[in-house]
Amino acid sequence: MKVEVGDLIKILLEAFPPNPKDLEKKDPIELIIKFILAGQNASERVINEAYKNLTSRFKSWEEALNAPDWQIAEAIKVAGYAYKKTNHIKQFLKFVAEHGWTLDWIKDLPPKEAIEILKGIKGIPSRSVRYILAFSFDMPVFPVDPHIKRVIRRLGILGNNATEEMISEYFENIEGIPHKELYLALKTHANKICAARKPKCLMCPVAELCYSVSPSVEYLKGTRRIRL
Ligand code: SF4
């Protein structure tokens, strides 16, 4: 028996309902500066500490933009690559200043245009752009990270060569999907059940629909499969 992807989405949303706090709209300037501070691998604790130091040292983003580089670098040094990140933060603040110290206008852009604009800001990883648009601007885009890509590939929805961009566009083209909720549900599923090394297929709420279900889950083999 074949099933729709909609069934899979429904099961995931029911199994992993989001914490309302995680759905709250995030300040885009704070979020983007935290992504810049994160760089390739800074921990959440370090990012928060660097951000706190930065916002304690300067009374406003305008003051930070006009400060000498060494002062910003000093404030964020805990996050590493302080001068490189200072440079990216200043370029970003200059961009915000040029738009009247607000990014609200982005929410009125077509998603594709907004994606290209954010991709042009140095220091923001391109895979984080959709996250920023979804969680700061409520735009109908679907963020994907390596963990979500792993789950989607295992489920067999788009095949083993599916890129993050392909997965984003696939879910953005399905009407009526709550993007943020599905993103959070897939994140939880990837962290708690469909782990990289040892997926817990016996505990998986979507095992019945999965192409990569463990062979030990014999009773599910050959029953239901996802239809695109
Ligand atoms: S059945 Fe196993 S491999 Fe498939 S999604 Fe669930 S945990 Fe992952």
Side-chain angles (χ1 to χ4, degrees), residues 72-197:
I72 295 184
E74 171 82 13
I76 65 170
K77 65 184 177 190
V78 66
Y81 300 97
Y83 277 94
K84 185 178 176 188
K85 290 176 183 177
T86 294
N87 183 272
H88 291 160
I89 288 171
K90 280 207 159 183
Q91 284 188 46
F92 170 59
L93 289 177
K94 190 162 175 283
F95 171 82
V96 184
E98 285 166 359
H99 291 87
W101 291 105
T102 177
L103 294 178
D104 282 354
W105 51 277
I106 288 180
K107 70 178 187 316
D108 300 321
L109 296 175
K112 276 193 186 335
E113 196 178 327
I115 287 169
E116 289 312 310
I117 286 173
L118 289 200
K119 278 185 177 172
I121 296 173
K122 283 195 176 151
I124 305 180
S126 53
R127 74 159 53 106
S128 306
V129 163
R130 280 182 163 89
Y131 180 91
I132 295 163
L133 293 176
F135 284 86
S136 285
F137 298 102
D138 266 332
M139 292 184 89
V141 292
F142 187 70
V144 174
D145 66 13
H147 304 288
I148 289 180
K149 182 172 75 175
R150 176 181 74 244
V151 174
I152 297 299
R153 283 181 171 185
R154 283 176 175 170
L155 284 164
I157 293 180
L158 289 170
N160 275 338
N161 294 323
T163 62
E164 292 177 17
E165 186 74 20
M166 284 164 67
I167 295 168
S168 288
E169 288 181 1
Y170 173 74
F171 283 102
E172 284 161 9
N173 284 328
I174 302 177
E175 273 185 33
I177 289 187
H179 294 101
K180 288 193 293 187
E181 287 84 344
L182 181 61
Y183 168 83
L184 293 170
L186 278 163
K187 283 283 282 182
T188 307
H189 178 53
N191 289 340
K192 293 189 172 169
I193 309 285
C194 196
R197 285 197 164 190

Side-chain angles (χ1 to χ4, degrees), residues 3-4 22 26 31 35-36 49 54 60 64 71 80 84 90 100 117 120 122 125 140 143 154 166 175-176 182 186 206:
V3 295
E4 304 282 352
D22 293 334
K26 301 181 193 310
L31 189 57
F35 271 120
I36 293 173
E49 188 179 335
L54 187 63
S60 65
Q71 286 187 3
K84 185 178 176 188
K90 280 207 159 183
I117 286 173
K122 283 195 176 151
R154 283 176 175 170
M166 284 164 67
E175 273 185 33
L182 181 61
L186 278 163
V206 289

